[in-house]
Amino acid sequence: MAALPMSRQRLNCFGCISRSNQFYYASSKEAINGKFIVGQLEAFSTQIIRPTFVVLDNARIHKTKEIQKRYEAWQRNGLYIFYLPPYSPHLNIAETLWRVMKGRWLQVKDYLSADTLFEATHKYLAEVGNKRSINYGSFNIN
């Protein structure tokens, strides 16, 4: 069976990354919706061992009623949701990860087909925190 042209296939990624390159991610070939985000945050909340803040942008899928209903339960597990101000992707360190992966890690050969692109993307994301890292500058609020 022939692969679909890349223009008809998508790989959507959701990720949580810390400045020390601790990384949690999930991907889907389906459109990411509020239900997907709830599921990922739910799974992430079961893995944390200390209070953790997740920074989300103001995308509509990050602010669904299902997500809002889970705030209290997640907080009891130590997961706190913080929203960035509108139009501030420069404050979201995950955006740096996506930019570095697209601009530095993915090679021309990775774009030969949807399969090679998806395989390379998964490989690079799985290496974050181990073989690959982002050097985030120190954060100073003073």
Side-chain angles (χ1 to χ4, degrees):
M1 175 190 265
L4 290 173
M6 284 185 54
S7 62
R8 293 192 170 180
Q9 295 187 43
R10 292 187 82 118
L11 181 65
N12 295 297
C13 299
F14 171 83
C16 299
I17 188 165
S18 70
R19 289 185 174 278
S20 61
N21 287 270
Q22 294 173 307
F23 186 51
Y24 171 89
Y25 80 97
S27 64
S28 174
K29 291 183 181 180
E30 305 298 322
I32 292 182
N33 56 26
K35 184 177 180 178
F36 180 88
I37 301 295
V38 168
Q40 296 312 311
L41 291 172
E42 192 68 32
F44 182 68
S45 75
T46 65
Q47 296 179 19
I48 60 175
I49 56 175
R50 63 179 186 223
T52 302
F53 288 83
V54 170
V55 178
L56 298 173
D57 60 27
N58 280 282
R60 199 175 303 158
I61 63 171
H62 294 158
K63 293 188 145 188
T64 64
K65 289 181 184 177
E66 295 85 14
I67 290 174
Q68 293 173 11
K69 288 178 190 175
R70 300 291 303 143
Y71 288 158
E72 287 184 32
W74 289 333
Q75 288 178 6
R76 285 191 296 272
N77 287 343
L79 178 65
Y80 299 88
I81 305 297
F82 174 82
Y83 290 98
L84 290 173
Y87 309 107
S88 56
H90 58 287
L91 298 175
N92 186 343
I93 65 172
E95 293 296 335
T96 302
L97 170 64
W98 307 134
R99 187 176 62 252
V100 168
M101 183 178 67
K102 291 174 187 177
R104 294 188 192 154
W105 299 345
L106 288 169
Q107 305 296 309
V108 172
K109 66 181 174 61
D110 297 327
Y111 289 92
L112 293 175
S113 72
D115 290 339
T116 58
L117 180 60
F118 294 176
E119 182 179 321
T121 299
H122 284 287
K123 174 184 179 282
Y124 298 139
L125 292 177
E127 292 176 351
V128 173
N130 301 313
K131 294 180 182 178
R132 296 182 184 275
S133 63
I134 306 290
N135 185 13
Y136 294 107
S138 62
F139 183 72
N140 187 351
I141 58 173
N142 293 330

